[in-house]
Amino acid sequence: MKPELAAAAILLLSVHPAFAQAPICIPPEEPFVPADDAAFGEYADLVAEDFERYFSEVRPYIACLDAARQDAFARAQEISAQHEAFWKRADEMGLTEEVAPDADPE
């Protein structure tokens, strides 16, 4: 990982606790395929290696995205439980009408 990306990741993780839950998924660099035949012929072996590198890196990237998706769903469930507890408490305190988003402000 590049030092700049590592520093940015550490900063994000220290700023907000919700960011600490989801992994940071960085897609692999896509292979470059020369358009002209001369360059294609000259660099075909390097391009072939680059494709192999890409496919070996894309699998962990997709796994990271899957983990981030699962983390997002888990966090949404936690927030949903907090939302439910908020409305229950507001109702118990008689504040439901006052805090309802669609309540008339007057």
Side-chain angles (χ1 to χ4, degrees), residues 9-22 75 79:
I10 291 169
L11 179 63
L12 279 176
L13 294 174
S14 65
V15 171
H16 195 283
F19 286 116
Q21 294 180 354
R75 185 65 183 149
I79 298 298

Side-chain angles (χ1 to χ4, degrees), residues 3-104:
E4 300 86 20
L5 290 175
I10 291 169
L11 179 63
L12 279 176
L13 294 174
S14 65
V15 171
H16 195 283
F19 286 116
Q21 294 180 354
I24 297 173
C25 306
I26 300 171
E29 186 175 334
E30 296 178 9
F32 172 75
V33 179
D36 67 277
D37 288 346
F40 187 92
E42 186 172 345
Y43 298 109
D45 57 337
L46 295 175
V47 174
E49 289 174 15
D50 210 21
F51 272 107
E52 293 305 315
R53 177 213 40 87
Y54 174 82
F55 289 121
S56 70
E57 292 177 3
V58 80
R59 288 181 196 99
Y61 171 66
I62 291 170
C64 180
L65 292 174
D66 288 342
R69 182 177 183 270
Q70 290 173 349
D71 289 349
F73 275 117
R75 185 65 183 149
Q77 288 177 327
E78 292 170 7
I79 298 298
S80 179
Q82 291 175 7
H83 181 245
E84 186 177 331
F86 167 82
W87 283 113
K88 182 179 180 205
R89 186 173 176 191
D91 187 45
E92 290 169 354
M93 295 176 69
L95 300 172
T96 306
E97 301 239 351
E98 291 178 30
V99 297
D102 58 327
D104 188 10

